[in-house]
Amino acid sequence: MTVTGPVAADQLGVVLPHEHVFIDLVSEYRGSGLLNDEHLARQELRALRAAGGSTLVDLTLDEIGRDPAALRRAGEASGVSIIMGCGHYRDPYLDRGWFDRTAVDAIADELVRDITEGARGTNVRAGIIGEIGADRGYISAAEERSFRAAARAHARTGLTISTHAARWPVGIPQLQLLAEEGVDPRRVIVGHTDSVPIPGYHLALVRQGCYVSFDSIGTGSPYDTDRAVDYVLELVRAGFGAQILLSQDVCLRDHLKATGGPGYAYVLTDFLPRLIAAGLDPEQAQSFVTDNPRNALTGAGG
Ligand SMILES: [Zn+2]
């Protein structure tokens, strides 16, 4: 399900599974943390289209400015199929009092409504659950409710769950919590894996069957991008190439092409060629942005 209606799985084409078109991170990034320029968004998305990209997963949630109507306009104007997320982000963005007062099933009901009817008073439907976040190396009380609600919404709708697991190896307890609620790890994308500098962690995740999202490609430092090449090659060598996803997590104004940043097409124009130059089979490299994200979104394959 995209913001402009259903798209057949075989029509998804080249997919970026973790991005943001409009977002408000001003509380953390005063200067660069607001993406709200629709003209600029269209321009950036058209550059993605020109580079061969066809589908973008926007994981912006209500705590950080999700705008379903603007996403639909951006999708219509750019020709990029945009898949919208739903659910709750992470501490400290969460309204903890609301989580204290609201039962897990009631939280799940809201996600299911976003998925089956539409979000924020529109008929724009979510096509993925996420990014469901844990802010630090543990899952907080409010975050635990959010994860359980995501799991129950998944059970009711079949949609994939995508998580925010940055810096610390918190993807492991996330998978464990979701499994407690009956979620098969193969229906989970653990996010920001490249921000956790522990290759053994990446391996432990894929061994459980989930997808790992190396999604700060080009938006981090050159060192981080170099390391991401190593991380990808290590998983390929270990035989887990079918569980690798790549994205840029564009979420700041500095990340956009117009401001000198990598933009939405960096994975396609720069990173895949680097992987191939490092010895990766070109067909396998292409599968990281085609077969793998399609399977991750639909639950097919693996
Ligand atoms: Zn993100």
Side-chain angles (χ1 to χ4, degrees):
M1 178 58 64
T2 77
V3 295
T4 47
V7 171
D10 62 1
Q11 299 298 310
L12 290 171
V14 168
V15 183
L16 295 169
H18 192 128
E19 301 295 338
H20 302 274
V21 178
F22 304 108
I23 191 167
D24 180 351
L25 294 172
V26 167
S27 64
E28 280 184 280
Y29 303 92
R30 186 93 203 137
S32 186
L34 184 63
L35 297 181
N36 66 344
D37 182 337
E38 293 197 31
H39 176 268
L40 180 54
R42 282 197 296 277
Q43 183 177 312
E44 297 283 326
L45 291 171
R46 285 193 191 115
L48 168 62
R49 197 96 186 87
S54 37
T55 302
L56 174 148
V57 179
D58 183 295
L59 294 176
T60 310
L61 302 174
D62 288 345
E63 290 90 0
I64 47 174
R66 184 174 61 150
D67 188 338
L71 280 181
R72 175 178 279 170
R73 289 192 293 273
E76 280 169 350
S78 65
V80 173
S81 295
I82 299 176
I83 297 171
M84 183 176 74
C86 66
H88 296 277
Y89 191 43
R90 59 175 167 87
D91 278 319
Y93 289 91
L94 302 180
D95 179 347
R96 287 187 174 187
W98 183 82
F99 275 93
D100 283 345
R101 292 188 302 273
T102 310
V104 170
D105 282 325
I107 301 169
D109 286 344
E110 291 195 353
L111 273 62
V112 171
R113 189 202 54 213
D114 281 8
I115 293 163
T116 57
E117 294 171 34
R120 306 201 73 164
T122 71
N123 62 356
V124 180
R125 291 164 59 185
I128 190 166
I129 299 167
E131 56 182 299
I132 307 301
D135 185 50
R136 301 180 70 87
Y138 54 88
I139 300 168
S140 77
E143 289 166 350
E144 179 179 339
R145 280 202 182 180
S146 165
F147 268 93
R148 290 191 189 280
R152 294 179 198 182
H154 162 79
R156 289 160 64 183
T157 63
L159 287 196
T160 302
I161 299 173
S162 185
T163 83
H164 169 105
R167 300 181 188 89
W168 291 278
V170 72
I172 300 288
Q174 289 179 350
L175 285 179
Q176 199 175 350
L177 176 56
L178 291 170
E180 255 178 61
E181 290 278 344
V183 180
D184 182 337
R186 288 174 297 184
R187 301 308 317 282
V188 180
I189 299 167
V190 173
H192 308 317
T193 313
D194 48 339
S195 76
V196 185
I198 309 169
Y201 166 65
H202 308 161
L203 211 49
L205 287 173
V206 290
R207 284 198 175 115
Q208 294 195 43
C210 68
Y211 291 86
V212 295
S213 179
F214 295 126
D215 50 33
S216 303
I217 306 295
T219 43
S221 70
Y223 169 81
D224 295 318
T225 305
D226 289 349
R227 286 298 285 151
V229 172
D230 299 338
Y231 297 154
V232 167
L233 294 177
E234 285 193 47
L235 289 190
V236 168
R237 275 194 293 269
F240 295 101
Q243 289 159 254
I244 295 171
L245 303 178
L246 302 174
S247 217
Q248 293 111 181
D249 196 14
V250 166
C251 57
L252 301 177
R253 213 161 183 281
D254 297 342
H255 293 161
L256 299 176
K257 235 178 149 51
T259 62
Y264 293 108
Y266 183 89
V267 163
L268 308 179
T269 58
D270 291 71
F271 194 69
L272 291 181
R274 277 201 59 184
L275 291 176
I276 293 163
L280 195 75
D281 171 57
E283 221 170 281
Q284 184 163 33
Q286 191 66 14
S287 74
F288 298 159
V289 292
T290 53
D291 301 353
N292 293 4
R294 187 187 61 242
N295 291 339
L297 285 166
T298 62

